[in-house]
């Protein structure tokens, strides 16, 4: 009998094309997702070398980072010239190289990491790459998925492989059950708060345990999405009945006998009893509270009941970094997190732009109004998420409360499009990065779950959503 | 790709931890469809005020570090996004080597694709190099990839590890795609087998 393997070992082994003596491998890539920002130079490289795309049928492109999310975009072109050139370059490259494409005006357009699973391109056991660090999202399906740079985008386009060395195995187990009102976003932020942003460097994380099993596919995508924020190359969750049910019937998922054949293999995709992990982190689900970030690194996580920390409470290089963060964020040590007033609320992104996220936010918002002076927007992760939400009447709930209801895109997660914070504006955001300038020059970001962001929108300050409604009613 | 053998130059100290890709090259500069010309916007929001004037306190604006080719950086350098614009901007500025206790995975890989050498060393050695870098322009370091060692301005030598394949590619200026295409028959074979075993892919 062969040695017990982790889920990562199994997927890795199934994709090794060749291996050199020093362990450097050529790894086959099953799905290559492409967006407009990190691909133009790669396509240009192919043209200069006269190379075709090796597997256009396994390559899927969609513009998301640059696209405006205002309703008038359906009839107009993108006003910002540089953005328009980048999107037009993707239009042209998709056509010239014959790859699958969802242009801006297609209802299936959206954030690449939401479109991939939604269309059934992402399947268990696959290798999935994209020139985007949040490719880790697809790990929720038990797919080995990670971000790559533009040189590697070109490499995958030309060869359908990547030159890789295997990472180490890390297990993150969330035992027991979450308390009511605590969500997937709180899990993933709490893990980063625990391990630090470099804690996962050199590892592929497998998330497991009862609290992970209990999550929906949407919640699992939220958890894996932020594996990169913990420094890991990828995050994985073993596929189960929920996964198979989610995948079944999607446009590019296998059908009939092929589905059955695929299912037989997918059911073997779990970590064997006794398989070796190089690092194990265990967190009790009941210890996780609704959390927010206070600083400018995703590791700056605290329960909403806490106070802003003093820089001196840290050690090493983090003392200076915390000083810089507090200054940037305009916060004083000892200040209660719930006393922090906000100007803007952003609900969306590849972390929290799926239907379940919008439902969770809508539950909090229903029948209430935005706090005075707060600007808030809901940006569905794809045209289809938007459509589904409208079918359920969620758009009405949001607009009646005073939120803007937008078209799909990356929006204010990274401010490459018109959705940005003004200088010193403070945002309750469901996105993934609170870096300096991430949502706009001098903008201040607090990361949190959709329910918590919705609560902040109603009260005008960071808020424990459990004070607005019964914890059991929160998604 | 340009061959990388030995670099002798000025090292700039950047002790801040978690220097992320948004700091290295803010997203507003990602709208280019070229690889070149990003050096002027390297560390843009730390380096210039809103009107575009240089901030004199920022290390690369100080006269002694304007021609730096080596960065000595705090933990977890390059965390965040996969944007290769970050190494493109560093390379365009003239940075060839970055030393830290740790790097974000994607950034680390991206450096090698652009003829740059990221070096991981233990804290004590990074601290020693940081002190050396703080001496300014007269303190030149040498990074010798062939022999895998850094020599400080005082003549102290510090050995470092580097992946053998990545070293080979850097020293010879090899193009990854060209190397992989030499193995195209192995890819063909894998695809043919995979079409049988996993036809749904």
């Amino acid at each position: 009998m062969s040695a017990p393997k982790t889920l990562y070992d199994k997927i890795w082994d199934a994709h090794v094309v060749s291996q050199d003596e020093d362990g450097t491998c050529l790894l086959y890539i099953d799905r290559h997702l492409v967006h407009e920002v990190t691909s133009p130079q790669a396509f240009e490289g192919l043209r200069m070398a006269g190379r075709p795309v090796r597997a256009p049928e396994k390559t899927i492109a969609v513009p998301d980072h640059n696209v405006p999310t205002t309703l008038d975009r359906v009839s107009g072109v993108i006003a910002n010239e540089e953005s328009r050139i980048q999107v037009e370059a993707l239009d042209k490259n998709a056509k010239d190289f014959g790859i699958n494409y969802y242009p801006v005006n297609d209802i299936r357009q959206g954030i690449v990491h939401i479109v991939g699973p939604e269309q059934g391109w992402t399947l268990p056991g696959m290798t999935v790459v994209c020139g985007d660090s949040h490719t880790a999202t697809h790990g929720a399906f038990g797919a080995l998925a990670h971000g790559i740079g533009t040189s590697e985008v070109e490499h995958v386009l030309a060869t359908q492989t990547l030159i890789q060395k295997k990472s180490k195995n890390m297990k993150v187990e969330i035992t027991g059950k979450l308390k009511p009102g605590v969500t997937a976003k709180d899990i993933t932020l709490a893990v980063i708060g625990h391990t630090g942003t470099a804690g996962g460097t050199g590892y592929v994380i497998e998330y497991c345990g009862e609290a992970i099993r209990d999550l929906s596919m949407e919640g699992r995508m939220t958890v894996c999405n932020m594996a990169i924020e913990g420094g890991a190359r990828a995050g994985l969750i073993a596929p189960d009945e929920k996964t198979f049910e989610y995948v079944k019937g999607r446009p590019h998922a296998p059908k009939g006998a092929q589905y059955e054949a695929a299912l037989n293999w997918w059911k073997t995709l779990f970590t064997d009893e006794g398989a070796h992990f190089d690092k194990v982190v265990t967190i009790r689900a009941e210890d996780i509270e609704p959390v927010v970030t206070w600083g400018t690194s995703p590791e700056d996580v605290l329960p909403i009941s806490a106070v802003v920390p003093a820089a001196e409470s840290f050690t090493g290089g983090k003392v200076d970094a915390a000083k810089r963060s507090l200054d940037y964020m305009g916060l004083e040590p000892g200040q209660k997190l719930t006393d922090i007033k906000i100007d803007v609320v952003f609900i969306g992104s590849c972390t929290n732009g799926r239907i379940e996220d919008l439902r969770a936010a809508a539950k909090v918002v229903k029948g209430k109004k935005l706090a005075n002076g707060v600007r808030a927007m809901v940006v569905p992760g794809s045209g289809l998420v938007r459509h589904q939400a409208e079918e359920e009447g969620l758009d009405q709930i949001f607009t009646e409360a005073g939120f803007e209801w937008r078209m799909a895109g990356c929006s204010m997660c990274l401010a490459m499009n018109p959705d940005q914070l003004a200088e010193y504006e403070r945002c309750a955001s469901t996105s993934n990065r609170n870096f300096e300038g991430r949502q706009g020059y001098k903008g201040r970001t607090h990361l949190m779950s959709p329910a918590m962001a919705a609560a902040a929108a109603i009260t005008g300050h960071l808020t424990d959503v459990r004070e607005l409604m019964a914890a059991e009613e929160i998604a | 790709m340009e061959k990388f053998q030995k670099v002798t130059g000025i090292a700039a100290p950047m002790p801040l931890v978690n220097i992320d890709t948004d700091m290295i090259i803010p997203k507003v500069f990602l709208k280019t469809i070229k690889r070149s010309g990003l050096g002027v916007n390297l560390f843009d929001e730390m380096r210039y005020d809103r009107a575009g004037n240089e901030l004199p306190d920022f290390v690369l604006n100080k006269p002694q570090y304007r021609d730096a080719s080596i960065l000595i950086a705090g933990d977890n350098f390059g965390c965040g996004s996969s944007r290769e614009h970050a190494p493109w901007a560093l390379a365009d500025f003239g940075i060839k080597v970055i030393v830290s206790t740790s790097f974000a995975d994607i950034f680390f890989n991206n450096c090698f694709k652009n003829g740059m050498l990221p070096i991981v060393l233990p804290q004590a050695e990074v601290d020693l190099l940081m002190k050396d870098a703080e001496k300014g322009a007269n303190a030149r370091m040498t990074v010798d990839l062939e022999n895998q060692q850094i020599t400080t301005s005082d003549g102290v030598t510090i050995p470092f590890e580097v992946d053998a394949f990545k070293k080979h590619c850097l020293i010879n200026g090899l193009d990854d795609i060209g190397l992989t295409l030499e193995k195209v028959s192995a890819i063909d074979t894998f695809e043919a087998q995979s079409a049988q075993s996993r036809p749904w892919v």
Side-chain angles (χ1 to χ4, degrees), chain A residues 366-408:
Chain A
K366 192 171 186 176
K368 302 188 181 78
K369 294 279 181 209
L370 285 183
N372 272 340
V374 171
R375 174 165 71 99
M377 60 167 81
V378 182
V379 186
S382 72
L384 290 174
V385 169
R386 182 182 149 90
H387 178 72
Q388 167 88 27
E390 288 177 349
E391 295 270 291
E392 297 179 18
L394 305 185
D395 58 322
Q396 291 294 324
I397 295 174
F398 288 121
T399 51
E400 278 165 18
F403 284 72
E404 293 176 47
W405 177 245
R406 294 297 192 99
M407 304 293 282

Side-chain angles (χ1 to χ4, degrees), chain A residues 16 67 98 112 218 295:
Chain A
V16 175
V67 298
V112 64
E218 280 89 347

Side-chain angles (χ1 to χ4, degrees), chain B residues 12-76:
Chain B
M14 289 194 79
L16 188 65
V17 302
N18 296 331
I19 292 179
D20 60 64
T21 48
D22 278 83
M23 286 179 178
I24 298 171
I25 186 83
K27 67 250 120 214
V28 45
F29 304 109
L30 308 188
K31 293 187 181 182
T32 175
I33 53 172
K34 301 192 202 121
R35 292 172 202 247
S36 55
L38 288 165
V40 66
N41 302 114
L42 175 69
F43 296 116
D44 196 85
E45 290 179 5
M46 302 164 92
R47 195 166 148 203
Y48 306 104
D49 67 16
R50 204 56 167 148
N53 304 306
E54 286 189 3
L55 298 168
D57 286 346
F58 182 67
V59 62
L60 297 180
N61 287 336
K62 293 180 182 172
Q64 64 270 39
Y65 295 117
R66 298 183 84 92
D67 296 319
S69 55
I70 301 167
L71 279 187
I72 313 295
D75 308 342
N76 199 28

Side-chain angles (χ1 to χ4, degrees), chain A residues 49-125:
Chain A
R51 289 169 177 148
V53 172
R54 182 181 169 96
E57 73 283 3
K58 295 174 183 174
T59 311
I60 302 99
V62 58
D64 55 6
H65 284 57
N66 269 291
V67 298
T69 63
T70 42
L71 304 186
D72 60 5
R73 84 159 192 224
V74 289
S75 57
V77 292
I78 299 172
N80 180 290
E81 192 185 356
E82 288 172 306
S83 292
R84 183 172 51 74
I85 290 171
Q86 242 180 12
V87 172
E88 285 174 354
L90 188 63
D91 290 341
K92 177 169 166 44
N93 288 329
K95 187 159 172 273
D96 288 358
F97 289 92
I99 62 184
N100 299 286
Y101 191 48
Y102 303 104
V104 174
N105 58 7
D106 190 313
I107 193 173
R108 298 166 298 176
Q109 179 271 346
I111 306 171
V112 64
H113 306 307
I114 294 195
V115 172
E118 199 168 69
Q119 293 299 319
W121 291 111
T122 306
L123 298 171

